[in-house]
Amino acid sequence: VILINFTNDTSQPFTAAQAASFVNTSVNSYFTENSYGKMPIQADAVGWYTVPLTNACQNFVTYMLEAIKAADPYVYFPDYSHILLSYPGQCGYAGVALIGHSLWSTADGSVVFGTAGVKSLYFQDLRVNGHELSHSILNQYHANARDCGTKVTGSDAECTNIEYGDKFDILGAYAPSPSSPYHLSGRHKPIEWFGPEEYTQITTDGTYTLNPFESPLSTKKVYFIKKGGTPPVYLEFRQPIGFDAGIPLNVRDGLLIRYSKFQGTGDAQALDNTPETTSWLDPALTVGKTLIDYFSGIAIKVLSKTSSALTFTITFPPTTCI
């Protein structure tokens, strides 16, 4: 963590020790739970450094270059895989990140690391830190929603994309409180976080069972369906466990369904299985309901649900020969 301020704003709203403590406790707890213990985070922090810029909003890369120069005498950059900046200023965002890792020039040579920034006003908001670090560490884009009006799904002409519209993924734009963001969705968690049977593809008609997505003890956490030429569909079952403790009743009672991309981008799209309401806090497909996917024709029906398992059927459409 590098803390910088500016020639006309030398404020220091928290110490480097406090910044490191927040990352090593709150941020670490979030990613350790999300990764089922596979990606803990450990941080050091340095600063504040006053860089030769004013607090007028600058390009994030400009901030990074100045921060690296300021910290170079005190930091051996090859020891780190990620740089998180914090700074005051006039930029109209809470946080920003570069997707994935980039090559940066330091006094220690060229180093590849991920980069993200959180304005100092929001640094102790876990929603913002978790969102930006999910971009830069995990190489993921936003969690969007697909609004098809009175229908659950439909063609691109019938539906619109809602940026950040998925309420049950930290890469969307909702959380019940600054300290309790919901889990990343199965679409955005790296497959390496799952065991060989926990994240699997459905290829045939049948009855399938999902266990609570949040539990490291769950046997089945994510299913996905890929039918040639159509958006892959991701399925998960959430329960009020850990950071997901505040999820609403509809979500804990049904199946969350997402497309893996939107019109060729890397963004995921949540589907609203209760289009009769205006809320996006009730998107789950609940017991007795059936979704027929517009693109693939696959039918998904939820049969039953307990606190430890949700059972559903998948039916593929007949193959058409041409």
Side-chain angles (χ1 to χ4, degrees), residues 147 149-150 272-283:
D147 187 352
T150 59
D272 183 8
N273 285 281
T274 59
E276 64 273 14
T277 73
T278 58
S279 173
W280 278 91
L281 295 175
D282 57 358

Side-chain angles (χ1 to χ4, degrees), residues 92-290:
Y93 54 73
V96 63
L98 300 183
I99 301 294
H101 288 57
S102 307
L103 184 68
W104 298 85
S105 178
T106 77
D108 309 308
S110 295
V111 182
V112 174
F113 44 71
T115 53
V118 175
K119 285 175 65 175
S120 54
L121 179 64
Y122 299 97
F123 188 81
Q124 293 182 319
D125 188 325
L126 183 55
R127 297 171 298 185
V128 181
N129 265 292
H131 181 106
E132 302 306 340
L133 292 174
S134 294
H135 282 315
S136 56
I137 296 177
L138 303 179
N139 198 30
Q140 296 293 350
Y141 291 82
H142 284 140
N144 298 341
R146 188 174 184 85
D147 187 352
C148 302
T150 59
K151 300 165 62 177
V152 176
T153 186
S155 68
D156 290 343
E158 296 173 292
C159 306
T160 58
N161 182 59
I162 303 175
E163 186 83 1
Y164 306 105
D166 188 343
K167 306 298 185 186
F168 302 100
D169 187 322
I170 199 171
L171 284 167
Y174 174 83
S177 77
S179 60
S180 299
Y182 294 136
H183 270 241
L184 286 150
S185 71
R187 167 59 183 81
H188 283 138
K189 289 189 180 186
I191 195 169
E192 294 83 5
W193 288 359
F194 299 91
E197 300 299 321
E198 295 174 354
Y199 187 110
T200 55
Q201 183 176 356
I202 295 174
T203 58
T204 61
D205 292 1
T207 299
Y208 299 88
T209 296
L210 279 167
N211 307 122
F213 176 69
E214 304 86 353
S215 172
L217 303 178
S218 290
T219 304
K220 297 290 186 182
K221 294 186 175 74
V222 180
Y223 283 113
F224 67 97
I225 307 163
K226 293 173 72 173
K227 190 169 183 291
T230 68
V233 178
Y234 283 71
L235 310 173
E236 66 193 49
F237 170 50
R238 306 281 274 265
Q239 286 295 283
I241 298 170
F243 280 97
D244 272 359
I247 58 172
L249 189 61
N250 165 269
V251 174
R252 65 183 73 175
D253 278 349
L255 190 64
L256 290 183
I257 303 174
R258 296 175 176 87
Y259 289 153
S260 76
K261 59 180 65 178
F262 168 67
Q263 295 179 346
T265 75
D267 295 336
Q269 283 186 314
L271 302 184
D272 183 8
N273 285 281
T274 59
E276 64 273 14
T277 73
T278 58
S279 173
W280 278 91
L281 295 175
D282 57 358
L285 185 72
T286 52
V287 174
K289 290 189 174 182
T290 300

Side-chain angles (χ1 to χ4, degrees), residues 20-44:
S21 177
F22 179 75
V23 174
N24 291 328
T25 54
S26 295
V27 178
N28 176 55
S29 293
Y30 179 79
F31 281 104
T32 299
E33 179 179 309
N34 266 260
S35 66
Y36 315 108
K38 295 182 177 67
M39 198 186 83
I41 288 179
Q42 188 70 27
D44 298 315

